[in-house]
């Protein structure tokens, strides 16, 4: 049971206290008659979805359960409540209408209580604001695009959507783990099914057939040995497709008030990687068949809207996690704790969910870590601008006239970019440089053969981020009111639009940024190169088209990003245990000692310094990063070895078990540190350690390893902090003394003054609009959001 103190100021209360005796009558009534207590167990009582919720009624001593009466909307639902084996009176209230429902609980001789329950459609939204349109439902089998009719994805479900919110009938299937040692641990239920591996570790199970001869058993972490049979539930919530998998005996019942004992009450939530903003319904990216967790009794949960590749709206993502947890509670029973896992975009979603809605995730295990999406976008946009600038005649002429070799030119680029070499910016440009494009585009990329020169090629095939037919999306001339497909556009309900335009408010900004500042000060580039670069760098306009002018953020978007916790807050993240598995992915051309280079474990974008940025935010906000553990490695690229993933899972399990056992009145941040197990400490595996078996705890030794050392980013070489949490800098006057020991001429200074007429970044000051988060916010009333109010409480009758 969570301490009430932890959640008193934050968003999600898995147990919402609405007890009259415990929380006060709320009406100032002095009646001394004993009162009923009520706890809404599924979620906050105003954030219910799908028409049902798990409720606990606490009767005063001596009150008979037989006299209990529970009504909702005038209906008698008393039969749903009973004294359970755990000694508590609980029941699932179902049939809730959309909107406000009044729950009334009464018993002879005690004061009755009423509670307002606000139910929302299972297709959402609850607090993320108006849903974007169009939204293309998945179909039982994928359908190709035809004219203006978009293609669809295979849902993995047998029936089609029943409404415009893409609700599809829920289905369950059973699988079993085979005893075959040489099995393949892959997704056992792909779409189409014909692509399933016949040697899969998990095979279809028929409850009505004879037990398979190769049926394995497993012993859970509670010591219970059971047949290794898994029930996989698939359905739709919040317009995404979800999977829930858990050990299950098909011959026995399972209700929310009487779960089967093979489930340990723990939940592993898997977050998918990458990032994108398609207007389509997908199946989740990952595999629910996670043996390390299922075998121990965990439930595995995922939803396509919590996969970053399919949804770049972080508020919508967090809301979806909340709705999934509510559904689990209503259907399977109370959750003991929730552990997150995921790489890259999956790390973004873990960090931002813990920041946007503290308490939603009890502990997280980010790999290939980024603190959040907004500040990651800074590096993407900087790299796009730099890759383009390096191919402009002004820069090329400087390099040619300087007589530099190609290696010297690339050394200058690396010094400006802050990266190990020039290819990391190529990678950002190629993979995500088009993510903010609102309409159709032809991608401009640096082909692998051109990584040395940085020459840009425009691809011949157009695309759009909505994944809709080309003639249906936004075009500033031919279709100005068509759906816009950029990252900010996908979350326009959060950001809002610039008044009297179709443009979503945007946080991208590079006004005052002196690209290559540290490279110039350290002598890696000349004054002429430094000045020229800043003259030609430019920015992008509202349609993400390259412009000679610098990009300018919208002030309202900046405030929203910080206030809503979308820029991950170190203060809030201190309330969540973090095991950060940091691999190496700093280059497209550098070769690791093991000889690994290129796909699949190298993309060039998951840079080591990102984990240190997360740590810096914790240090700045709390004076400590005691709740953040970093495990570094390199030989696997950015993907941790299975043995490390298992160690992290088991260590986080111990950490959260300790945390839940602490019922003191200490703050949650203090509890996180106190609960930390001895196994949770910083270490690295040196890149020269072929066996990857020796844990090195000396940070200096780890940092000296060329494949473990953190590099930097373009903003850091421009003078910005490694925490990289300043979206738009405040400005100060240009000062020649700032370039010491380099001497800058009056001519160069005058040219810089023309580039920066309002001044240059003052990195010692907070960013424009930077502020403490308001913790959890709702956007149901419109863009920009407001802090959510207190959870509903019961009132006496």
């Amino acid at each position: 049971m969570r301490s009430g103190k932890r959640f008193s100021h934050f968003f999600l209360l898995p147990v919402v206290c609405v007890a009259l005796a415990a929380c006060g009558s709320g009406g100032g009534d002095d009646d001394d008659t004993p009162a009923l207590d009520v706890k809404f167990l599924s979620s906050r009582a105003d954030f219910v979805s799908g028409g049902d919720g798990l409720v606990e009624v606490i009767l005063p001593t001596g009150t008979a359960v037989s006299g209990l009466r529970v009504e909702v909307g005038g209906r008698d639902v008393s039969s749903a409540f009973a004294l359970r084996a755990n000694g508590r009176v609980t029941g699932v209230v179902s049939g809730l209408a959309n909107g406000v429902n009044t729950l009334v609980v009464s018993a002879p001789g005690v004061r009755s209580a009423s509670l307002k329950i606000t139910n929302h459609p299972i297709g959402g939204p609850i607090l993320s604001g108006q849903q974007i349109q169009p939204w293309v439902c998945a179909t039982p089998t994928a359908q190709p695009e035809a004219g203006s009719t978009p293609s669809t994805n295979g849902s993995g479900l047998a029936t089609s959507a029943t409404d415009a919110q893409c609700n599809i009938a829920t289905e369950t299937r059973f699988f079993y783990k085979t005893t075959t040692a040489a099995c393949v641990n892959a997704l056992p239920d792909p779409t189409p099914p014909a692509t399933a591996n016949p040697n899969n570790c998990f095979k279809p199970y028929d409850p009505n057939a004879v037990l398979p001869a190769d049926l394995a058993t497993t012993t859970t972490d509670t010591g219970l040995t059971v047949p290794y049979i898994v029930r996989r539930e698939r359905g739709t919530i919040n317009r995404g497709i979800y999977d829930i998998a858990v050990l299950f005996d098909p011959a026995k019942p399972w209700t929310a008030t009487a779960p089967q004992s093979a489930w340990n009450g723990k939940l592993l939530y898997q977050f998918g990687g990458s990032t994108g903003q398609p207007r389509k319904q997908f199946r989740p990216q990952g595999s629910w068949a996670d043996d390390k967790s299922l075998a121990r009794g965990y439930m595995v949960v995922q939803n396509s809207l919590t996969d970053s590749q399919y949804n770049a709206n972080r508020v919508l993502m967090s809301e979806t996690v909340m709705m999934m947890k509510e559904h689990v509670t209503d259907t399977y029973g109370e959750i003991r704790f929730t552990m997150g896992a995921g790489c890259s975009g999956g790390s973004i979603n873990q960090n931002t969910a813990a920041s946007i809605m503290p308490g939603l995730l009890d502990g997280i295990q980010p790999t290939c870590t980024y603190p959040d999406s907004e500040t990651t976008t800074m590096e993407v946009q900087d790299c796009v601008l730099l890759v383009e600038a390096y191919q402009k005649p002004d820069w090329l002429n400087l390099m040619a006239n300087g007589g530099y070799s190609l290696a010297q030119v690339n050394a200058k680029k690396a010094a400006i970019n802050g990266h190990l070499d020039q290819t990391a910016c190529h990678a950002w440009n190629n993979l995500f440089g088009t993510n903010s494009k609102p309409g159709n585009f032809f991608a401009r990329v640096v082909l692998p053969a051109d990584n040395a020169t940085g020459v840009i090629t425009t691809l011949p095939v157009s695309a759009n981020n909505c994944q809709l037919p080309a003639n249906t999306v936004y075009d500033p001339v031919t279709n100005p009111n068509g759906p816009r497909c950029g990252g900010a556009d996908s979350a326009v309900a959060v950001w809002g639009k610039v008044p009297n335009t179709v443009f979503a408010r945007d946080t991208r900004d590079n006004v005052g940024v002196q690209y290559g500042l540290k490279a110039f000060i350290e002598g890696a580039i000349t004054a002429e190169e430094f000045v020229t670069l800043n003259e030609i760098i430019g920015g992008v306009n509202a349609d993400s088209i390259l412009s000679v002018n610098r990009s300018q953020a919208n002030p309202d978007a900046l405030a929203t990003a910080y206030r809503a916790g979308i820029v991950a807050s170190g203060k809030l993240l201190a309330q969540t245990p973090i095991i950060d598995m940091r691999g190496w992915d700093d280059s497209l051309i550098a070769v690791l000692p093991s000889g690994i280079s290129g796909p699949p474990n190298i993309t060039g974008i998951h840079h080591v310094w990102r984990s240190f940025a997360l740590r810096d935010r914790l240090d700045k906000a709390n004076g400590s990063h005691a709740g953040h553990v970093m495990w570094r490695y390199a030989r696997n690229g950015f993907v941790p070895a299975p043995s490390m993933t298992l160690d992290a899972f088991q260590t986080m399990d111990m950490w959260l078990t300790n945390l839940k056992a602490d019922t003191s009145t200490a703050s949650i941040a203090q509890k996180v540190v106190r609960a930390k197990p001895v196994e949770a400490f910083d270490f690295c595996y040196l890149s020269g350690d072929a066996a990857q078996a020796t844990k090195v705890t000396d940070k200096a030794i780890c940092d000296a390893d060329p494949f473990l050392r953190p590099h930097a980013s373009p903003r850091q070489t421009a003078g910005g902090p490694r925490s990289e949490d300043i979206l738009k800098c405040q400005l100060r006057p240009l000062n020649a003394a700032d370039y010491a020991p380099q001497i800058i001429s009056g001519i160069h200074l005058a040219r810089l003054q023309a580039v920066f007429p309002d001044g240059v970044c003052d990195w010692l000051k907070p960013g424009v609009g930077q502020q403490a988060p308001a913790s959890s916010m709702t956007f149901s009333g419109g863009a920009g959001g407001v802090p959510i109010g207190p959870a509903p409480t019961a009132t006496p009758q």
Side-chain angles (χ1 to χ4, degrees):
M1 184 71 69
R2 292 180 175 90
S3 153
K5 184 177 179 65
R6 173 177 182 182
F7 294 98
S8 59
H9 300 295
F10 299 106
F11 176 83
L12 190 72
L13 289 82
V15 174
V16 179
C17 179
V18 294
L20 296 177
C23 303
S25 67
D29 198 317
D30 295 328
D31 192 337
D32 293 331
T33 304
L36 291 167
D37 289 355
V38 182
K39 292 182 179 179
F40 201 86
L41 304 176
S42 304
S43 65
R44 285 174 53 119
D46 52 348
F47 292 156
V48 181
S49 62
D52 50 20
L54 182 61
V55 175
E56 178 180 8
V57 177
I58 303 175
L59 301 174
T61 302
T63 304
V65 177
S66 59
L68 177 66
R69 181 177 177 85
V70 183
E71 295 181 354
V72 63
R75 293 182 294 115
D76 184 355
V77 294
S78 305
S79 61
F81 289 80
L83 181 64
R84 308 299 175 182
N86 60 10
R88 298 160 63 192
V89 177
T90 57
V92 174
V93 176
S94 57
L96 298 171
N98 288 337
V100 177
N101 300 256
T102 302
L103 177 75
V104 179
V105 183
S106 60
V110 296
R111 301 176 70 194
S112 60
S114 68
L115 173 66
K116 300 294 185 182
I117 301 172
T118 305
N119 179 60
H120 304 78
I122 195 66
I126 295 178
L127 52 79
S128 62
Q130 185 174 0
Q131 295 174 325
I132 56 171
Q133 295 292 344
W135 189 257
V136 182
C137 303
T139 50
T141 58
Q143 301 297 314
E145 182 178 306
S148 297
T149 302
S151 63
T152 66
N153 300 303
S155 65
L157 292 159
T159 60
S160 297
T162 59
D163 56 28
Q165 283 198 301
C166 298
N167 289 313
I168 306 175
T170 302
E171 299 174 10
T172 60
R173 289 185 61 192
F174 292 97
F175 296 83
Y176 74 95
K177 177 73 180 296
T178 177
T179 55
T180 303
C183 64
V184 177
N185 193 19
L187 182 65
D189 58 343
T191 300
T195 61
N197 191 313
N199 297 319
N200 208 296
C201 294
F202 287 87
K203 297 181 178 181
Y205 176 80
D206 183 354
N208 299 313
V210 176
L211 288 178
D214 61 340
L215 172 60
T217 60
T218 185
T219 300
T220 70
D221 63 10
T222 63
L224 183 66
T225 299
V226 296
Y228 202 154
I229 301 170
V230 176
R231 180 185 191 260
R232 187 230 62 207
E233 175 189 343
R234 177 168 297 149
T236 53
I237 286 179
N238 214 16
R239 304 200 302 180
I241 297 174
Y242 70 82
D243 281 339
I244 297 173
V246 67
L247 290 174
F248 200 104
D249 184 344
K252 296 179 180 179
W254 186 324
T255 66
T257 56
Q260 290 188 11
S261 56
W263 181 38
N264 59 19
K266 304 172 186 177
L267 193 154
L268 177 70
Y269 202 108
Q270 297 178 329
F271 295 86
S274 190
T275 197
Q277 44 275 348
R279 301 291 185 93
K280 293 182 177 181
Q281 190 179 50
F282 287 80
R283 273 189 62 180
Q285 281 184 41
S287 172
W288 53 261
D290 185 76
D291 178 62
K292 72 178 186 302
S293 53
L294 289 173
R296 289 169 171 78
Y298 269 75
M299 179 181 288
V300 177
V301 178
Q302 51 186 357
N303 184 304
S304 58
L305 283 187
T306 57
D307 288 350
S308 186
Q309 181 172 332
Y310 305 140
N311 173 30
N313 181 337
R314 311 302 164 180
V315 175
L316 173 61
M317 175 274 299
S318 302
E319 174 187 70
T320 303
V321 177
M322 176 189 75
M323 294 174 71
M324 289 299 301
K325 291 182 64 176
E326 182 204 355
H327 174 70
V328 168
T329 306
D330 295 343
T331 308
Y332 296 90
E334 293 179 82
I335 299 168
R336 185 177 172 191
F337 59 67
T338 301
M339 181 192 305
C343 167
S344 192
S347 74
I348 288 174
N349 280 352
Q350 289 180 80
N351 287 320
T352 51
S355 176
I356 291 171
M357 297 182 183
L360 192 61
L361 300 173
D362 296 293
I364 59 177
Q365 305 166 91
T367 57
C368 358
T369 302
Y370 302 108
D372 59 67
S373 56
E374 293 305 302
T375 56
T376 301
T377 296
M378 289 197 306
E379 187 174 30
V380 178
Q381 292 299 311
D382 285 344
C383 279
V384 168
L385 297 176
L386 288 165
V387 168
E388 293 283 352
Y390 296 145
Q391 296 303 309
K392 291 180 178 179
D394 309 69
W395 180 265
L396 292 174
N397 289 338
L398 274 179
M399 298 299 100
N401 295 336
Y404 301 122
S405 67
L406 185 56
Q408 289 174 316
V409 171
N410 285 332
K412 290 179 181 291
K413 292 179 182 178
I416 294 166
N417 299 353
H419 300 150
L420 175 63
D421 58 46
Q422 78 282 0
T423 65
C425 263
H426 299 170
W428 272 129
N429 177 84
N430 294 356
L431 291 172
F432 297 106
T434 58
N435 245 35
S436 295
K437 299 286 187 182
N440 298 303
F441 59 83
F442 292 88
R444 289 172 55 79
V445 302
V446 179
L447 298 174
D450 297 320
N451 269 327
T453 62
V455 170
I456 304 170
T457 298
T458 301
L459 298 182
V461 180
S462 70
N464 64 71
N465 291 310
C466 290
Q467 297 184 18
L468 296 175
N471 63 350
T472 66
V473 302
Y474 169 82
D475 182 278
V477 177
T478 64
N479 194 15
N481 294 313
R484 288 174 58 88
C485 308
D489 302 299
S490 70
V492 69
V494 172
W495 304 115
K497 292 182 180 180
V498 176
N500 303 314
T501 76
V502 297
F503 308 134
R505 294 176 176 136
D506 198 339
T507 65
R508 291 176 296 170
D509 193 280
N510 66 344
V511 174
V513 176
Q514 299 184 82
Y515 290 97
L517 174 63
K518 289 185 178 179
F520 170 51
I521 291 172
E522 294 168 3
I525 60 175
T526 67
E528 179 63 25
E529 291 159 359
F530 170 62
V531 173
T532 299
L533 177 66
N534 282 283
E535 287 175 327
I536 66 175
I537 194 76
V540 293
N541 66 13
D543 279 339
S544 293
I545 296 172
L546 294 171
S547 169
V548 295
N549 300 315
R550 298 283 181 118
S551 307
Q552 295 203 45
N554 180 277
D556 292 328
L558 294 170
T560 298
Y562 291 111
R563 191 171 60 249
I566 298 171
V567 173
S569 160
K571 192 70 174 178
L572 298 182
L573 285 173
Q575 301 173 54
T576 306
I578 304 172
I579 297 179
D580 185 338
M581 288 171 275
R582 168 48 65 191
W584 182 86
D585 189 24
D586 282 34
S587 168
L588 290 173
I589 57 175
V591 180
L592 290 163
S594 60
I596 296 174
S597 180
N601 289 338
I602 301 295
T603 65
I605 62 171
H606 303 98
H607 303 158
V608 173
W609 71 265
R610 287 285 179 180
S611 293
F612 289 88
L614 181 61
R615 177 162 286 188
D616 282 5
R617 293 192 195 183
L618 289 162
D619 286 336
K620 286 169 63 176
N622 311 289
S624 168
H625 57 260
H628 178 253
V629 174
M630 195 188 308
W631 295 354
R632 281 188 274 173
Y633 55 94
R635 294 181 74 93
N636 285 355
F638 61 83
V639 178
S643 58
M644 178 178 281
T645 302
L646 177 59
D647 285 347
F649 174 82
Q650 293 176 313
T651 302
M652 183 57 74
D653 180 88
M654 288 186 284
W655 201 338
L656 295 180
T657 299
N658 295 342
L659 183 59
K660 294 305 167 183
D662 187 346
T663 59
S664 72
T665 58
S667 71
I668 183 60
Q670 292 172 324
K671 291 182 180 182
V672 165
V673 177
R674 292 199 313 213
K676 189 175 179 180
V678 295
E679 292 83 356
F681 58 88
D682 286 359
F683 70 82
C684 73
Y685 291 128
L686 297 176
S687 60
D689 177 5
Q692 295 287 277
T694 302
K695 295 180 178 179
V696 177
T697 58
D698 188 322
K699 182 179 181 295
I701 294 176
C702 295
D703 288 349
D705 188 307
F707 294 99
L708 302 177
R709 178 186 307 132
H711 292 278
S713 71
R715 288 291 164 116
Q716 290 166 55
T717 62
R722 187 167 62 179
S723 57
E724 201 123 310
D725 54 356
I726 295 177
L727 295 167
K728 178 181 178 61
C729 64
Q730 294 193 56
L731 302 178
R732 59 173 177 76
L734 200 65
N735 187 343
D738 293 337
Y739 305 107
Q742 304 299 329
I743 298 175
I744 194 162
S745 70
I747 294 176
H748 283 143
L749 198 62
R751 288 168 60 187
L752 286 174
Q753 191 67 56
V755 174
F756 303 110
D758 298 315
V760 295
C761 286
D762 186 344
W763 298 110
L764 298 178
K765 294 180 179 178
V768 175
Q770 191 168 12
Q771 57 193 278
S775 189
S776 303
M777 300 187 56
T778 176
F779 298 83
S780 59
V786 295
I788 64 170
T793 58
T795 55
Q797 300 295 295

